[in-house]
Amino acid sequence: MARLPPYAPELNPVEAIRSYLKTHEIANLCRETIAEVGQFACNRLKSMQRRPNLVAAFWQQAELAF
Protein backbone atom coordinates (compact mmCIF):
# COMPACT_ATOMS: atom_id res chain seq x y z
CA MET A 1 0.00 0.00 0.00
CA ALA A 2 1.46 3.32 -1.06
CA ARG A 3 1.08 6.28 1.26
CA LEU A 4 0.13 9.57 -0.33
CA PRO A 5 1.09 12.94 1.06
CA PRO A 6 -1.65 14.70 3.07
CA TYR A 7 -2.29 17.17 0.26
CA ALA A 8 -1.37 16.17 -3.27
CA PRO A 9 -3.48 18.11 -5.79
CA GLU A 10 -1.37 16.85 -8.70
CA LEU A 11 -2.60 13.31 -7.92
CA ASN A 12 -6.28 14.28 -7.76
CA PRO A 13 -8.17 14.47 -11.07
CA VAL A 14 -10.86 16.61 -9.40
CA GLU A 15 -8.28 19.36 -8.91
CA ALA A 16 -7.62 19.37 -12.66
CA ILE A 17 -11.34 19.60 -13.37
CA ARG A 18 -11.74 22.48 -10.92
CA SER A 19 -8.78 24.30 -12.41
CA TYR A 20 -10.08 23.84 -15.96
CA LEU A 21 -13.53 25.03 -14.94
CA LYS A 22 -12.12 28.15 -13.30
CA THR A 23 -9.75 29.10 -16.12
CA HIS A 24 -11.73 28.08 -19.20
CA GLU A 25 -15.42 27.76 -18.46
CA ILE A 26 -16.24 30.45 -15.90
CA ALA A 27 -13.31 32.84 -16.17
CA ASN A 28 -14.49 36.47 -16.10
CA LEU A 29 -18.09 35.38 -15.56
CA CYS A 30 -20.42 38.12 -14.31
CA ARG A 31 -23.79 37.09 -12.92
CA GLU A 32 -26.21 38.87 -10.61
CA THR A 33 -26.24 36.29 -7.80
CA ILE A 34 -24.04 33.51 -6.52
CA ALA A 35 -26.87 31.08 -7.29
CA GLU A 36 -26.63 32.04 -10.96
CA VAL A 37 -22.88 31.42 -10.89
CA GLY A 38 -23.47 28.03 -9.27
CA GLN A 39 -26.08 27.06 -11.84
CA PHE A 40 -23.83 28.15 -14.71
CA ALA A 41 -20.90 26.17 -13.27
CA CYS A 42 -23.13 23.11 -12.84
CA ASN A 43 -24.26 23.36 -16.45
CA ARG A 44 -20.66 23.66 -17.65
CA LEU A 45 -19.64 20.59 -15.63
CA LYS A 46 -22.50 18.62 -17.19
CA SER A 47 -21.32 19.78 -20.60
CA MET A 48 -17.78 18.64 -19.80
CA GLN A 49 -19.12 15.13 -19.06
CA ARG A 50 -20.07 14.77 -22.71
CA ARG A 51 -16.47 15.34 -23.79
CA PRO A 52 -14.68 12.02 -23.17
CA ASN A 53 -11.33 13.27 -24.46
CA LEU A 54 -11.39 16.07 -21.91
CA VAL A 55 -12.27 13.72 -19.05
CA ALA A 56 -9.50 11.31 -20.12
CA ALA A 57 -7.03 14.19 -20.13
CA PHE A 58 -7.83 14.94 -16.48
CA TRP A 59 -7.03 11.34 -15.55
CA GLN A 60 -3.81 11.38 -17.58
CA GLN A 61 -2.70 14.59 -15.91
CA ALA A 62 -3.05 12.91 -12.50
CA GLU A 63 -0.63 10.17 -13.64
CA LEU A 64 -2.43 7.50 -11.64
CA ALA A 65 -2.45 3.87 -12.72
CA PHE A 66 -6.00 2.50 -12.95
Side-chain angles (χ1 to χ4, degrees):
M1 178 164 130
R3 294 208 177 264
L4 296 176
Y7 180 67
E10 66 277 0
L11 299 177
N12 187 349
V14 174
E15 292 289 336
I17 294 168
R18 183 193 58 80
S19 177
Y20 180 87
L21 182 70
K22 282 177 52 179
T23 58
H24 293 93
E25 300 290 339
I26 62 173
N28 299 318
L29 179 68
C30 294
R31 298 288 189 204
E32 293 294 322
T33 67
I34 193 66
E36 290 176 355
V37 173
Q39 185 61 47
F40 184 84
C42 187
N43 291 341
R44 297 312 303 152
L45 285 168
K46 287 178 184 176
S47 172
M48 289 166 56
Q49 287 179 328
R50 294 186 292 271
R51 298 169 60 190
N53 291 340
L54 184 63
V55 174
F58 296 138
W59 282 101
Q60 284 179 331
Q61 183 177 342
E63 298 180 3
L64 295 174
F66 284 100

